[in-house]
């Protein structure tokens, strides 16, 4: 995958091998060419192939190289923002349609995994949004109220039940989401790719797109060594976009996020810390997350980049924080460390773009890549096939626009996280 161990960390160590793919070295034809081999691109290719529509996937590096292979692995419903905020941004029709789609998204992920027997450490016991202090309790109560009003089965757990489920007394309560769960994200990427190939999709790695130009009523998409002629182009590169559609990167601010994984915990510790393996994150402004993999490794993360002085600062903070949250752990050894970038749009809501005639894509997942990416891939396939019209899309069509002061914002987030973790002061 990468010679730098801090890009994919534990996921590269524990994922099954990637399916055998090759570089694109020839001129090939297809109904659709998909740029990007992550959750969205591979889901699109799988659903197109199942509809009898030929699809070619072009990945610049290895499958899952971008955000998909660096993900925390939480299969969440909805987005980070409160449910009521999405209709206020998108309008009531698109907003409620998008919420319904994303509420059902974890179920789609599970159904794909089960239908194709994808070995990706799937856990279906939900997630816990952990309340820190009374302000955190009020936040999760309001989030629960907004979801329940839309028929979602979320419940509030008190501090005692939260402590029983997490193994920590650090939290004032939690919001339990039974729709959700966890998985090994790189393993899921590779399983999606194999399922798509089994259905007839063609996938090429190490084949970055350098140019796209109109050819008749379709497109000629060029890589360094080959080309694809197709009627449709799907742009599925999201926060790691380069090349002809680098504007997708420019319209998002990168928020760095790191994870440290312990060595497998003892059986006694695993009986008390996350015995049901829920995925967790808290209500702090600079949030923390933790979960367990199937071998008993505790994976603990937060905002920040593991480079330069950031690595030592964030590692020291992670050790201190684990002692506070789980004093029964004692001293811990970290087996893996890695980080990636979350692409944040200006309003924390995803985008649907028509870059040109028959050139489309979703982007801007704001830290919720697995379930939305998989679901939007199915939407793209339905739209291309004609099974879904413009009026049925979950998002309005918008023009991509670069965010102002993007580099300054990104520097602030990276430095601010370092300062906060060095001093243990919340921003």
């Amino acid at each position: 995958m990468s010679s730098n161990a801090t890009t994919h960390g534990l996921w590269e160590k524990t994922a099954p091998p990637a399916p055998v793919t090759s570089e694109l070295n020839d001129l090939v034809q297809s109904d659709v060419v998909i740029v990007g081999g992550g959750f969205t691109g591979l889901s699109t290719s799988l659903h197109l192939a199942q509809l009898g529509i030929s699809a070619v996937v072009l990945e610049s590096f290895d499958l899952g190289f971008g955000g998909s292979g660096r993900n925390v692995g939480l299969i969440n419903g909805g987005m980070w923002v409160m449910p009521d905020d999405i209709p206020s941004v998108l309008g009531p029709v698109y907003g409620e349609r998008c919420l319904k789609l994303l509420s059902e998204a974890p179920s789609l992920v599970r159904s794909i995994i089960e239908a194709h027997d994808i070995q990706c450490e799937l856990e279906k016991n939900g997630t816990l949004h952990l309340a820190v202090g009374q302000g955190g309790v009020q936040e999760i109560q309001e989030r629960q109220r907004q979801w329940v009003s839309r028929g979602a089965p979320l419940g509030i757990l008190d501090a005692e039940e939260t402590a029983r489920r997490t193994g920590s007394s650090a939290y004032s309560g939690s919001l339990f989401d039974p729709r959700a769960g966890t998985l090994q994200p790189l393993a899921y990427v590779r399983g999606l790719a194999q399922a798509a190939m089994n259905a007839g999709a063609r996938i090429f790695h190490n084949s970055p797109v350098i140019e796209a130009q109109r050819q008749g009523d379709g497109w000629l998409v060029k890589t360094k060594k080959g080309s694809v002629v197709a009627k449709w182009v799907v742009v599925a590169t999201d926060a790691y976009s380069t090349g002809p559609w680098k504007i997708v990167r420019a319209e998002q601010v990168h928020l760095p996020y790191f994870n440290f994984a312990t060595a497998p915990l003892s059986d006694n510790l695993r009986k008390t810390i996350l015995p049901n393996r829920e995925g967790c994150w808290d209500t702090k402004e600079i949030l923390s997350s933790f979960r367990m993999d199937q071998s008993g490794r505790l994976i603990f993360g937060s905002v920040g980049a593991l480079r330069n002085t950031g690595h030592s600062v964030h590692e020291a903070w992670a050790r201190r924080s684990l002692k506070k949250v789980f004093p029964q752990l004692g001293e811990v050894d970290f087996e893996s460390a890695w980080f990636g970038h979350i692409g944040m749009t200006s309003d924390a809501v995803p985008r649907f773009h028509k870059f040109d005639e028959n050139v489309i894509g979703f982007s801007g997942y704001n830290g919720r890549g697995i379930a939305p990416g998989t679901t939007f891939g199915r939407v793209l396939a339905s739209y291309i096939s004609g099974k879904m019209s413009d009026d049925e899309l979950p998002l309005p069509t918008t023009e991509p626009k670069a965010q102002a002061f993007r580099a300054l914002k990104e520097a602030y987030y990276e430095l601010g996280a370092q300062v906060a973790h060095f001093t243990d002061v919340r921003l």
Side-chain angles (χ1 to χ4, degrees):
M1 174 70 76
S2 171
S3 60
N4 185 346
T6 61
T7 59
H8 300 85
L10 177 66
W11 306 143
E12 175 63 20
K13 291 182 180 180
T14 61
V20 177
T21 57
S22 62
E23 296 183 34
L24 179 65
N25 294 313
D26 301 302
L27 173 65
V28 300
Q29 293 190 337
S30 181
D31 295 323
V32 184
V33 57
I34 300 162
V35 186
F39 301 133
T40 305
L42 294 170
S43 174
T44 304
S45 68
L46 170 61
H47 287 98
L48 284 171
Q50 289 175 331
L51 292 170
I53 299 171
S54 61
V56 166
V57 177
L58 301 177
E59 165 57 43
S60 293
F61 298 99
D62 295 308
L63 299 176
F65 180 83
S68 297
R70 309 172 198 226
N71 196 282
V72 177
L74 302 181
I75 316 167
N76 283 308
M79 301 300 292
W80 285 111
V81 295
M82 288 283 189
D84 285 357
D85 290 343
I86 292 182
S88 70
V89 173
L90 300 177
V93 175
Y94 281 113
E96 295 301 333
R97 187 185 297 161
C98 183
L99 281 168
K100 184 176 188 300
L101 184 74
L102 296 183
S103 179
E104 298 168 352
S107 177
L108 175 63
V109 173
R110 289 195 297 270
S111 67
I112 290 173
I113 291 169
E114 291 165 357
H116 299 280
D117 192 26
I118 297 175
Q119 301 303 303
C120 60
E121 302 190 16
L122 175 65
E123 298 286 354
K124 299 184 284 187
N125 288 336
T127 56
L128 298 170
H129 192 180
L130 304 168
V132 178
Q134 188 55 37
V137 171
Q138 293 172 355
E139 178 183 333
I140 64 170
Q141 287 175 338
E142 179 59 19
R143 190 178 292 273
Q144 190 246 8
R145 183 193 68 78
Q146 293 182 21
W147 271 120
V148 168
S149 72
R150 294 173 168 88
L154 277 68
I156 297 290
L157 308 181
D158 62 18
E160 183 178 356
E161 177 63 11
T162 299
R164 188 188 72 79
R165 294 201 186 197
T166 61
S168 173
S169 60
Y171 304 103
S172 305
S174 59
L175 178 61
F176 174 58
D177 187 348
R179 303 170 300 178
T182 66
L183 52 67
Q184 211 276 30
L186 186 57
Y188 177 53
V189 167
R190 292 175 175 178
L192 272 179
Q194 187 63 68
M197 293 169 67
N198 290 345
R202 290 172 287 174
I203 299 176
F204 298 93
H205 72 275
N206 198 25
S207 301
V209 173
I210 58 175
E211 184 182 353
Q213 61 188 45
R214 292 303 302 267
Q215 181 167 293
D217 62 351
W219 290 88
L220 176 66
V221 177
K222 297 181 179 180
T223 67
K224 291 181 178 180
K225 299 179 180 179
S227 301
V228 182
V229 174
K231 182 178 180 180
W232 287 87
V233 180
V234 169
V235 179
T237 46
D238 201 32
Y240 285 76
S241 294
T242 59
W245 299 283
K246 60 185 178 182
I247 184 62
V248 176
R249 160 70 177 98
E251 73 172 348
Q252 302 180 50
V253 171
H254 272 185
L255 180 71
Y257 202 90
F258 65 81
N259 281 283
F260 288 95
T262 70
L265 303 183
S266 68
D267 289 342
N268 285 338
L269 287 172
R270 289 161 66 177
K271 290 176 182 177
T272 63
I273 297 175
L274 295 177
N276 297 324
R277 299 183 186 274
E278 298 97 337
C280 302
W281 73 101
D282 63 32
T283 58
K284 291 181 181 180
E285 189 166 355
I286 298 182
L287 63 86
S288 304
S289 63
F290 54 87
R291 53 160 298 195
M292 195 84 73
D293 80 347
Q294 287 190 346
S295 295
R297 299 178 183 90
L298 184 61
I299 302 161
F300 190 74
S302 184
V303 177
L306 302 183
R307 57 188 174 195
N308 304 321
T309 56
H311 197 133
S312 59
V313 167
H314 297 312
E315 181 173 355
W317 170 85
R319 293 183 186 280
R320 294 195 304 271
S321 296
L322 280 174
K323 284 185 179 180
K324 293 177 184 177
V325 176
F326 301 110
Q328 66 268 42
L329 274 176
E331 295 295 328
V332 297
D333 293 322
F334 290 134
E335 189 177 271
S336 302
W338 69 102
F339 80 102
H341 292 102
I342 298 170
M344 307 294 292
T345 58
S346 58
D347 52 18
V349 172
R351 303 283 192 264
F352 174 69
H353 296 313
K354 292 184 177 180
F355 300 93
D356 207 320
E357 184 177 355
N358 290 355
V359 183
I360 57 177
F362 286 97
S363 58
Y365 298 152
N366 296 277
R368 293 286 178 96
I370 295 172
T374 302
T375 296
F376 287 143
R378 183 177 64 174
V379 169
L380 289 166
S382 296
Y383 184 76
I384 289 169
S385 71
K387 296 169 67 71
M388 178 179 288
S389 68
D390 284 272
D391 293 338
E392 296 173 302
L393 286 167
L395 294 172
T397 302
T398 56
E399 291 293 326
K401 182 180 179 182
Q403 281 202 51
F405 306 110
R406 176 171 53 83
L408 185 61
K409 293 174 183 176
E410 292 175 352
Y412 169 77
Y413 290 145
E414 183 166 345
L415 179 60
Q418 265 195 70
V419 172
H421 286 160
F422 181 75
T423 60
D424 276 337
V425 173
R426 298 183 213 161
L427 294 181

